[in-house]
Every structure is written in structure tokens, then in C-alpha cells.
Amino acid sequence: MEIILLFISAIFVSNFVLHKFLGICPFLGVSKKFSTAMGMTGAVIFVMTLASVVSWLVYHYLLVPYGLEYLRTLAFILIIASMVQLVELVLQKVSPALYSALGIFLPLITTNCAVLGVAILNIQKEYNLLETTVYGFAGAMGFGLAILLFSGIREVLDLADTPRAFKGTAIALVTAGILSLAFMGFAGIV
Amino acid sequence: MSMEQDKTGASPPEVAAAGGDPPAPPPAKPAPPDKAEPPRAPRLVVSTSPHVHRDQDVPRIMRSVVWALVPGILVGLWFFGLAALQVYAIAVAGCLLFEWAFRRMLGRPGTLGDWSAVVTGLLLAMNLPAGSPWWLVVVGCLAAIVLGKQIYGGLGYNPFNPALVARVVLLVSFPVQMTTWPAQGGPLTVDATTAATPLGAIREALSVGQTVPQAMAGADFPVWKLLVGMRGGCLGEVSVIALLLGGLFLLRKGHIKWQVPVGFIATVFLFTGAAWLGDPERYANPLYHTFSGGLFLGAFFMATDMVTSPVTRRGMFIFAVGCGLITVIIRLWGGYPEGVSFAILLMNAATPLIDRYTKPQVFGAKRKLYEEAKAA
Amino acid sequence: MIVATTVMAGLGLLAGLGLGLAARFFAVEVDPRQEKILDVLPGANCGGCGYAGCNDFAAAVARGEAAPDGCPVGGAETAVAVARIMGLVVEEKERRVALVLCQGTREVAPSKFRYNGMASCASAALLAGGDKLCRWGCLGLADCQVACAFQAIEITEGGIARVIPERCTACGKCVAACPKDLIKLVPESAPIHVLCSSRDKGPVARKACQVACIGCKKCEKFVGDESMKVEDWLALVDYDHPPRDPAVAGECPTGAIVELHLDAKKPVH
Amino acid sequence: MKFKGGIHPQYNKGTAALPVEEMPLGARYVVPLAQHLGAPGKPVVAKGDRVGRGQPLSEPGGFVSVAVHAPTSGKVTAVKELPHPLGLEMTAVEIEADGEDAWWEGVQPRGAWREMDPAALRDALRDAGLVGMGGATFPTHVKLSPPKDKPIGTFILNGAECEPYLTSDHRVMLEQPREVMEGVGLFMKVLGVTKAYVGVEANKADALDALKAACPPDLDVAFALLEVKYPQGSEKQLIYALTGRTVPAGGLPMDVGCLVQNVGTAVAAYEAIAKGWPLIQRVTTVTGAAIRQPKNLRLRVGTPLGDVLAFCGGLTEDVAKVVYGGPMMGIAQFSLDVPIIKGTSGVLCLPDAEVVQYLADACIRCGACVDACPMGLLPSTLGVLCERDRWEDLEDFNVADCIECGSCAFCCPAYRPLVQLIKRGKAELRRIQKMRQQGAA
């Protein structure tokens, strides 16, 4: 039950993008088309889940024994960076179309604060390995939900007669704001 | 009207109107003598087919919505009195003003004639507590018209229901004012004491450790009171019967499809019913849930907003069920006592995705039909 | 301290090793010239070259699929720079400017019907070729203006398109957008232009538009060489060797031939 | 069976009670060579030639092409580009009538269709210049030559006449039921089918009764009254309504073994065989609030529109639109010099007050067009995509299945010119697909 609540809360209530405001860069950058948002979601789910697990392991089995907790940010960034690199290499080979569609934002998952965020939150909240895995996965799902909803809206906005001054990122930010307001409705659940 | 307009890259394709100048005088009459043979204006209009049109346009639809809102508004005025009138007046005037001013600022043609700003103003007022201070209403108008609609390009392009954007902006920004419910004091009320809403009463009771049956006994909201509208709440949401009347009118006119209100209300009823059967100590009965809060207002007038809901019937139904589910989740387990606005807003956000996955079946696209026909 | 350093170094080493292996297995080659070309391109991402943005064009050049002088915005300088990266030499071209070959305003070119529909030339042209009696003329519904990324086209009061030469980058978007093929990229130094595209016979053309070229050949006789020629009742300027004597404009009985100085620095009239 | 979607416009079929009048012979006729879908014919007469009534003026320009014939006897005064109802100038033969209206000697009865060979019948129909007279003007002989792997088992006579205002088919069914049914038999013979359906909208029950009464006993024909709904007369919808078969998307009626012909075509086919008459006349409804005397007229193909309108008392002063065909799919005309052609089922004259003013207001996503589309498309989305030149995205929304019936634009409360947008989109997408194919090849 706890696990399920954790899962739901990470997706809806404390959504990484719309509640914690983490991972805004890819959220805005890769949400112009539904298909790329889909690809980004896949990549983020992979990276976030794996990063949660690996960083948890590294933290508990490497840093803690040596009393190096203060190095966790550094270590996590290292892990995440190399993992993203890995995804990038694989994608470039396996799906060049998705690779070029994700463009600059793929390497930017490295600096996707959602990934680092989830790794650090896992430690802060003193989750065990199972909780860590679920939280990482659910957090990524929440990110995916937000970016997919958002990309759907943006595809439609692309066809709208938006005033010049608001075209593009401006209107996207306004929309993200309203979306975040709407997600506030979930506040208080679990 | 369109030719003179700004035609830079960002501006939309426009329609060239043919009717600008009146048709040339018939040849029988002598031409006006003062003009030295200007190029003769052609008489015939050419456009693509069809050359006839249904007797229906956007302003007329919007006016129908206004008519449909009238019963709900009247009941609100009766119960909440002059304080309500003030809110309605400011909301409508404010929406019209912001609509006019913002369009003008952008150098776009005025759209007051389509009546959509009036509808937004009325709906916004109906979603506010009676006796909302004037500045709250004005901020709401600004949020609805500018943030919710015109920033996106105006009617038709807004992804979210403007009145709901405003309500949620206000609810999040001014929680105290937005949850202070004046008691119903009759038509001449100007200033009233506060009262509880049905959903708020339960929330309150649960938080002090009472059970739901105890709370309901204390709050005294029998179903007939809920139907008539004798309860605290937003201006326009109190009377189920009045709202139903307007909603049926719109259904009959064909401006809303039954899938939305039925799907929405039925989902709330069934879901809360299931919860109630599971634990009547913790959850109120489904009738109580169905007839309280802003469910009828939302289901008939907000979730049915054409612009922000799916275009296909199937999509509308999915949309409505989604609204119902989220509403109940927020009501039963969320921090806010009422979730209709949030639910509709969230489903507005999901509308493009619903549209994407509910494309209608193209005539003849089903391979099976074809095979069947061949066998026949 | 030493432990910390060791741990971190070990982690880094491990990650590096993994990545190195991955790079080996999933290696994809990228032409280094592509990046260099991208650096010298103007970066307008206008698509005037026919590719989806500058990066795409750079890749195409690097693959040898596109010509180095394919960027219309960057002009000669860019072409030379790109060619140098590719190890080629290109001829320097004169800057070109788009020009709308029609001056049939609504006052001089009557309509045959009242049009009601989308304000788009391409859509209007599908209905009986547009509402103008002259079936060659500019419909003034701004398809070119919408296509232009540089706001270099305006619709005049007479309801026809006009290119603002100072802003034109000769990307050619308007040329493709015009359903009547009225827009041409011309060398900016050419002084004489025939602002008409009607290939109707003289009397027909004249009836449809007071400033139409009626194919009378007076200009052809006046210049006396190959620089101007009448084809299908329409005078054409040979833009490779344009006529230089502005007096030819005065010869035209309908005023279809005009003297225009499109060079960006000079005032335009 | 009822098809999904469709609309209920005001029918305005006031001319249904008016018997068909013969239009008197005129002085001048203009016969365009292109009056059918397909390659235009090549002229076989020149300026100065004398021609007899029914004499061929052109020869087919290919298989999907038919000849045109002289509507009356007289002198060819020109073979040149002249205004055509499609809006452009096209090659046409101009004939000055000599008033004698003498038949060309080649016009002779072909015999009784019951005794003739199907191939001979088909050739005779081709030589008579027969095309579908409902408005699409597809050459009849081509339609009657289905490929071997798509055998036709069912013939369908289209008497739906679902377009508002038009009553020409209605009058033909009432006044010439025998010719219509003989035509049905003739088509069945050509195709070798034994089963036929006749479908007529329920607002023309009298026509169906007349046909039933005139049906020759040797034909197995099922008569059906159809729901009054536009576009009931569209081939795919009609086939579905009558037989329950669904023509696959992108397919033709022959994919479900059906073939549909219009009432007028049946009469013309019968006359082409029994009397040897080529297609030089047709029944046309001249109607609308802007014509002084609405009429159903039997007209010679090639009659100038101006003459027709004058015969109907002329246009009112507030006329603002003249449409060839019905109001839902007809083509607006700007010149009164165009001639009546084989596909002109009606001439609709609308006054200023009744002219639809299309606007470019934003789509309010009301879904009215989605409910109305008989093909199950999303006209609202198609319209928006076309408006923003997103041609390639149209493919995902099956734009090619649009039959341009106009139901969407008819009910759009924002008065968006959806048909214009979608027509353009279809053309652009076809262009792109062609380029893609060439690129692949």
C-alpha cells in the first residue's frame, strides 16, 4: 500500500515538473511534438530509474562506508552523466531519427535536475532500494505525463493564431503555469 | 475587412469578404454621371461550394448559453441577494472590457459581438462566492480573458476553459476570500454571515474526528435543499434544478452533447457510491456528492465548453469520465473539498491527447465490413 | 582525503571505461566538415536552400548532395567560405533581389467577380484562376508576404505585392509561394524591368489591365540587341545581359516597362 | 440502412410541381469539347463547316473520353477558346443555328437493346457521348467496362436527388418512367447483371411509384424509399443505404460489385439506343430566389446560360450568385456567357441576401462538422491543418477520403470555408505524394 501511494503521489501529487519544478528544460525544449516527447519520456524513464538505483547503491555501499556522504552530489552527477552518454550513444546508433529529434536535449538530460533531484531525494527521504526504484520510476512517469500532456497542447497551440508577442516559448510558459495550477488540485492527497 | 489587415508572418490566413461593396446597380438605371467610368464592380460572387448554410452561427450559440444560464443566475440572485448582483455585474463588465481592450492593444478586430466574453463573465461569476470583493472579481476577469483566452489568440484557440483558469488562479492566490461562503439571506441581502457548504461541512467534520453520518446530521442538507439550492456555495452552483433546466435547454438545442454531462455526473455518482458502500462512516452517500459542489454547473456548462473539450462523441465521453474520476479523487482524498474545477482543467489539458486517440472511423476503412459485403 | 579521491577516481574510471566500450560498439561517424560549414552559415534557419534549417544544409553539403552556393541568404561571401571548407572554388554571384512582375493594381486591372473565401492566393487561384480579369496578375492575398521570413514584402494599397529590396535576402520563398509565378529573383543592378507577366494577346491583355505588356515589340526594336525580347506577347528582359539604357522605359506605350534601382543603398521609388 | 452523418438542409424543391418545358431553339450554341471527366476530345469540324443535329463535333481524346455532338443543325462559326463553366476558357465549337434543326443522317435507331450484344451497346453509348449526368460527368462506357477481377453483380439507379433545389431528376422520373426503366434494363444487359436496385428519397414517393408502375416485367428490380438526408445520392452512401455494403476507403463501387447510374443517364442511354440520339439535350432545373420564373427545362447542351435565364424571365436585380448544379456541390459562375453542358443538372440563382458569407473565424471545435461528415472524417482538424499549410499532416487524417459534399461547411457556425480549405489541401497533398513517388523511383 505504501508503495502504491508513493507511486501515485510521485506521478500526480508531487509531480516532478509541475509541482517540484524540476526538469523544466527538457519539459519546455522537447515538448513541441508529441512523438519527440514520447521519445524523451522513454529516455527519461530509463535514465531516472537506473540513476536512482545506481546512485542509491553507490551511496549506501561506497560513500557511506567510507564516510564520504558529502561527496554524493559529485558522485551522482558523474553517474548520471555517464549514463546519459550511454543512452545517447545507443540512440544514435539504434534510432537516428529520434536522436536528431531529441537533439541538444539528450545530452541535457545530464543536467536534467529531475534526475539528480530524484537521486538526492531518495537519500534525503531515506528510501530503501525498492522505494528508490519505485520513486525513480514513478517520478519519471510523472515527468512523462506532464510532458505528454504538454506536448499535446503545444501541437495544438502551434496551429493557433497566437499573438506575435506570445508565440513560442512565451505561450508555452503560460500554458505550463496553468497546467501546474491544475495539478495543484491534487495537493493534499497522501 | 481582411485585405487591409496586417499580414505579417504571424497573422492568420483570413477570408476575403465579398460583400464589402453593394452590388453594382442594375443596367437599367443610368450610371451616376459624376464618375468618369470607374472599373465596373462585378455583380456575381464566386466561392467554393456549398452555397447554402445552416441557420446557425457562433454568437447565436453563445446567446443560447446565456439563456441557459439564466435560471441558475436567478436562483443565485434570489438566495444571495444584491451582493450576488454586484458580482455578476462586475464580472460581465470586466470581461467585456478586458476583451475589448486586449484585442485593441493587439490591433485585432473586436470580438465583443460573438458574446463569448459575456458567457465567460457569467460563468466566472457563478464560480465565485457571493459577496466576493470587487477587486477579486476584476482580477478574475483579467485572468479569464487575458490569461485564459486572448493570450492564445482568442476564442477557439484557448486550451483551457477561461472561467476555470480564472477560478483556479483565484482559488490558489486568494484561498481565504474564495472559501468564505456567505449565508443565504434572501433577495435583499447585502452583507451576510458565513455558512458552510455541504462538501466543506463534511471536510470540516472529518478533520475534527467526526464520522460522515454525524457531520451530515449536523449540517442539515437534505436532498431537497440541495436540489432547490438552499445551501452555501458559489453563486451559480447552488440550485441543481435550475442548472438542469438550462442544461436540458442546451441539450435540446444541440449545443452540448449528452455524453459530457451524463458521463461526468454518472461517474461521480458511481464512484462515490462505491466508496460509500465500502465505508459509509468515512464517505458521504452518492446523492449528496452528486447534488452538492459545482458538479452540475461543471458538467452542463464548463466541461461542455466546445473549445476545450474533444470533438468526437467518444472523446467527449472519455473526457467526461476523466473529469468525474478526478473530481471524486480530489473530493474524497485531496486537500480541497471540491475538485470539479481542477478536474475539468486537467481534462482540458488532456483534450489534445484524447482527440489524437479518438479519431472517428473513416467510412469504409474497416477491412472486415468489406469482406462481409463480398460474402453477401 | 585520499579515500575520497580514490573513490571518485575509481568511479570516474569505471564510467569512462563503460562509455569507451559503448562508443566502440555504437560508433557513428559524423563529417567534421559539417560543423565547420554550419559555423560559416548565417544561421537564419529560413529553409531558403530547400533543407530543413542550416544544420541540414550543412550536412547535405558535407555529403556532397548540395552545392556550396546553395545558401541564398549568405550570398557570395558564405558561398566562398563554404566552398573553401569543401575544397572547391565558386564563382562570385551578384546579389539578387526578388521582384514582383505585376503592377496591375485594382484601379487598373478590373475584377471579374467578387471573391469570397480564404484570403490566400493559392486558394483563390483554384477558383477560376482568381478574381482578376487578368488571369496572370497578382491577387494581392499575400501568400508571398506570409512566406517571407524577413518581412520584405508588403501589399500595396492597390492590392498587389511589392518587395522591399533592402530587406530581401533572395531566399526564394516568395517565388515558390506565388501561385501565379509572378516573382523573380533579379540581379540588383539591372535597371530595366518589365512589370507584367501576361502572355495574353495584346488586345486581351490590354482589356484586362491598363498597364499590361501588349507585346508590341517597341522595346525590342529600341534596344536593338538580345537584351530584350518579346515572347508570347510578353516582353522579357535577359537578366544575364540586361539593357542599360533607361530610355527604353519611355518607349513602352502602356508603362509596363519601368526603371527601378534595386541596389540596397540607393533610394527606391 | 442509414449512413452515419449527413445533414438536413432546407430543400426548397418548389419546382418539383412544374412539368418539364421544352426550351425553344436559339440562335447560337457553344459546345465545349471538355464536358466530361477525362481527356478532352479533339475537334473534327472547322470554322465554316455545316453540321446536322447530332453530328459529332469531336472525337474522343483517349479511352476515358467521349465525343460531343452538334445540338442543332447550323454552321460552325468558330472553334476557339471560350468561357467554360469550370471558370477557365476552353476549346469549344460555336454553332450558328440555321433554324431547321435537321438531324444528321448518321443519327439512326440502333435497334432494340434486348436483342443487342453488350459490347455493341457499350460502343453505341460511347459514340453517343454519354456521361454521368448527375454532375460528375464520368464517361458512361468507362464505368460500364469494369476490370475482369471486379465483376459487377448489382446495378443501382440513383434517384435520390439529395441536392436541395434540384428537381430535374424528379420530373424525369415522373414524366419518363418508362424510358428510365428501359434504361435500367439496358444497363443491366450491358453489365450482365440480374439484380437492380432503385433508390429514391422519401420526399419523392410519387416518382418511385411511377417507376414501379413502369418497370418492365422481365426485370428483377427492388424499389426502395430512402431517408431524406444529404448526401443520400453520394455513391458510397447510396450503396450502403440500399445494399448494406461498404465501399472500402479509397475504393470504388465496383469493389463491392456495384455500379450506380443517375436517372438522367438512364434516359439518355435508352434514347441513344432506341432512337440513336447522341447526348445533346438534358433536363435542367433553373431555380432560386433570384430568377423570375423558375422552371424545369429540357435544354440543348451548348445553350448559352444568358439565353436560358432570359427564357426564365431573367434574373432579379439583387442577384448575387449563379451556380451550376445544386447548392451543396455546384460551381459558382461569374459569366453568363458560359453554355449549359452535359453535367448541368441545375442553375441556381441566389439573391444577395441568401449568399453565404464565409469568414476566417477560428474553429470553435463545436464538432458539428464531425457529426455531419458522412465519411467519418474530422473536417475541423483538416480545415485547421490546411489553413496552416500543414499538407503532409493531412495524410494522417485521411483527407483523400473526403467527397467534398459540403456538409461540414454547411453546418459550421464559424462560417469557415471548409470545402475550399480541404480541396486545396487535397491538391497539395497529391502534389507532395507525387513528388515523393518520383523521388522514390
Side-chain angles (χ1 to χ4, degrees), chain D residues 120-433:
Chain D
L121 281 172
R122 191 158 43 223
D123 289 348
L125 294 181
R126 182 196 59 210
D127 295 341
L130 229 66
V131 299
M133 287 164 74
T137 64
F138 192 72
T140 305
H141 70 275
V142 182
K143 221 173 172 181
L144 292 174
S145 318
K148 280 262 170 351
D149 57 328
K150 303 261 171 76
I152 304 291
T154 308
F155 176 79
I156 292 173
L157 182 76
N158 184 354
E161 200 166 48
C162 57
E163 276 268 8
Y165 285 98
L166 301 189
T167 56
S168 51
D169 284 355
H170 189 181
R171 289 313 304 180
V172 168
M173 288 187 281
L174 281 180
E175 296 176 25
Q176 299 174 283
R178 201 185 67 81
E179 282 92 333
V180 173
M181 292 316 297
E182 289 288 324
V184 169
L186 191 156
F187 282 130
M188 290 167 74
K189 169 97 185 185
V190 175
L191 294 163
V193 307
T194 52
K195 180 77 193 169
Y197 288 92
V198 172
V200 175
E201 271 190 350
N203 55 2
K204 292 180 275 288
D206 52 346
L208 192 77
D209 293 340
L211 293 183
K212 233 185 244 175
C215 182
D218 57 333
L219 299 182
D220 176 15
V221 181
F223 294 88
L225 269 189
L226 303 168
E227 188 193 6
V228 182
K229 181 162 82 169
Y230 180 86
Q232 188 61 267
S234 162
E235 278 191 337
K236 292 183 177 184
Q237 277 66 30
L238 183 70
I239 292 171
Y240 181 74
L242 283 172
T243 68
R245 301 181 206 176
T246 305
V247 179
L252 292 169
M254 63 181 173
D255 290 327
V256 290
C258 290
L259 188 142
V260 182
Q261 287 289 359
N262 167 267
V263 168
T265 323
V267 174
Y270 171 70
E271 288 177 339
I273 303 301
K275 302 178 183 167
W277 294 356
L279 179 49
I280 54 168
Q281 65 176 25
R282 68 157 297 134
V283 177
T284 297
T285 306
V286 184
T287 182
I291 189 84
R292 290 185 203 275
Q293 296 161 19
K295 284 181 198 305
N296 288 307
L297 285 177
R298 183 164 286 110
L299 293 164
R300 299 288 166 88
V301 168
T303 314
L305 176 58
D307 291 3
V308 177
L309 298 176
F311 182 66
C312 295
L315 294 165
T316 59
E317 279 167 14
D318 59 347
V319 66
K321 213 175 212 181
V322 175
V323 177
Y324 261 38
M328 293 305 296
M329 291 185 76
I331 300 169
Q333 302 296 319
F334 55 87
S335 157
L336 303 184
D337 298 332
V338 294
I340 299 292
I341 57 173
K342 291 175 181 177
T344 312
S345 49
V347 177
L348 175 62
C349 311
L350 295 171
D352 214 35
E354 289 180 26
V355 168
V356 178
Q357 277 294 331
Y358 286 110
L359 308 167
D361 285 357
C363 168
I364 58 162
R365 295 168 45 82
C366 66
C369 55
V370 179
D371 283 347
C373 182
M375 295 307 289
L377 305 177
L378 287 170
S380 51
T381 310
L382 292 175
V384 172
L385 290 173
C386 291
E387 200 176 354
R388 309 284 167 202
D389 295 3
R390 295 265 292 265
W391 314 123
E392 296 189 38
D393 296 335
L394 292 171
E395 224 171 354
D396 292 341
F397 292 89
N398 308 84
V399 76
D401 287 311
C402 170
I403 55 172
E404 297 171 20
C405 67
S407 300
C408 49
F410 171 83
C411 58
C412 177
Y415 281 74
R416 290 168 62 76
L418 288 167
V419 174
Q420 185 180 27
L421 286 165
I422 295 173
K423 267 188 175 172
R424 164 108 196 274
K426 280 168 86 171
E428 297 284 346
L429 180 64
R430 270 199 301 270
R431 190 176 55 77
I432 290 169
Q433 285 171 333

Side-chain angles (χ1 to χ4, degrees), chain A residues 59 62-72, chain C residues 3-5 7-8:
Chain A
Y59 182 79
L62 202 61
L63 300 185
V64 174
Y66 292 104
L68 296 173
E69 289 92 339
Y70 61 91
L71 274 179
R72 67 177 180 200
Chain C
V3 179
T5 318
V7 167
M8 288 309 289

Side-chain angles (χ1 to χ4, degrees), chain C residues 18-39:
Chain C
L19 281 179
L21 282 174
R24 205 149 237 257
F25 283 114
F26 299 103
V28 174
E29 264 182 56
V30 176
D31 195 325
R33 290 179 298 184
Q34 183 183 333
E35 302 233 331
K36 282 191 195 159
I37 295 170
L38 188 58
D39 285 342

